[in-house]
Amino acid sequence: MSITIAFGAIVMLLLFSSCNDKKKALGAAITERDSLPVLNTLGVTSLISDSGVTRYRIKTEEWLVYDRKRPSYWAFEKGVYLEQFDSLLHVEASIKADTAYYYDREKLWKLMGHVDIRNRKGERFNTELLYWNQNDRKVYSDKFIRIQQPDRIITGYGFDSNEQMTVYVIHNIGAVIDVDDSAPVAPPDSLKKDSAK
C-alpha cells in the first residue's frame, strides 16, 4: 500500500509541475476606465426632438460615448449623416462628415474629413473641418471652404456663419466663379467633326 501511495504522490507532483510550466496568455489589465466607451452602438438611426417636435435625424455606423474622458464626448469615427426637418418633416438641410465628435457638455460638434453641407437655400458647403457651437448658434472653420450657390462658386479660407448657414462671412476669399447655366453646350462629337476637316 505504501508503494501505491508513493507512486500516486510522484504522479501528482509530475502533473502539478507540468501545469505550472505553462503560462496562460492574458491581455493587459485595463486600469484606466476613461479609455473605454460607456456606450458602443452599431447601425444607429436616431430622431432628436425640440419642444416635442422632431427636428433632426442622425445616421451613423458606430456611435461611441466616452463619459469619463475630460472633456466627455461622443465619437462618430465611421462617419455621420444629419438631416434637419421643417415643421412638416421635410428635409430642409443636411450635413455629412467622414468623422465627427460631439462634446456634450460644451454642446460643440467637430466635423472632419469630407464635410458636405446643404442649407435651406440649396447652397452646398464643402470643407475638411467644421465646428458647430450649439450654445452660441454659430458654425465656423479656419480651413479651405467651397460654397456652391445656384449662380456661382465661392472659395476661401475660413468662414463664420449662423446655425442655419444662411448668413455667413467668408475670410480670405480665393475665387468667385460665375456659373452661366444658359450658355449653350456643344455636342460631345463637335470636336471630332472640326478636326476631320
Side-chain angles (χ1 to χ4, degrees):
M1 186 159 184
S2 63
I3 293 176
T4 307
I5 293 174
F7 182 70
I10 291 172
V11 170
M12 293 293 274
L13 286 173
L14 290 175
L15 288 176
F16 283 132
S17 65
S18 66
C19 289
N20 290 337
D21 288 344
K22 294 180 183 176
K23 292 184 179 180
K24 295 181 180 178
L26 298 175
I30 298 172
T31 56
E32 297 294 326
R33 164 62 179 84
D34 67 350
S35 66
L36 294 174
V38 68
L39 173 73
N40 182 352
T41 308
L42 303 175
V44 177
T45 300
S46 179
L47 297 173
I48 301 170
S49 62
D50 182 13
S51 303
V53 177
T54 302
R55 298 295 299 153
Y56 303 98
R57 176 171 45 201
I58 297 178
K59 292 182 183 181
T60 185
E61 286 185 39
E62 184 178 53
W63 177 18
L64 303 169
V65 176
Y66 293 93
D67 65 334
R68 299 279 175 102
K69 289 278 192 184
R70 295 292 169 243
S72 60
Y73 64 91
W74 304 353
F76 304 90
E77 294 177 344
K78 294 186 178 178
V80 66
Y81 179 69
L82 174 75
E83 293 175 323
Q84 182 181 16
F85 300 113
D86 62 12
S87 59
L88 300 174
L89 296 180
H90 295 119
V91 176
E92 63 180 3
S94 64
I95 300 173
K96 184 178 181 182
D98 291 341
T99 304
Y101 296 98
Y102 176 66
Y103 299 93
D104 55 331
R105 295 180 198 268
E106 294 85 2
K107 293 191 176 182
L108 176 69
W109 284 90
K110 180 181 181 181
L111 307 169
M112 302 182 313
H114 294 95
V115 181
D116 182 44
I117 300 168
R118 184 181 57 83
N119 69 7
R120 283 189 251 177
K121 299 186 328 188
E123 298 172 321
R124 293 197 75 138
F125 298 76
N126 298 103
T127 187
E128 64 186 53
L129 177 65
L130 181 88
Y131 294 96
W132 173 16
N133 188 324
Q134 291 179 306
N135 283 330
D136 297 339
R137 299 183 173 269
K138 298 284 183 190
V139 177
Y140 56 92
S141 177
D142 61 352
K143 299 294 183 184
F144 178 79
I145 182 84
R146 179 182 186 272
I147 303 171
Q148 183 174 346
Q149 298 174 335
D151 59 342
R152 62 185 172 175
I153 296 171
I154 304 170
T155 62
Y157 287 87
F159 81 103
D160 295 297
S161 173
N162 64 345
E163 200 171 34
Q164 293 78 27
M165 296 193 68
T166 54
V167 179
Y168 47 86
V169 175
I170 303 165
H171 308 287
N172 301 317
I173 292 180
V176 177
I177 303 165
D178 291 325
V179 178
D180 186 9
D181 290 338
S182 63
V185 178
D189 60 344
S190 66
L191 295 175
K192 292 179 186 175
K193 290 178 185 177
D194 291 338
S195 63
K197 291 181 180 178

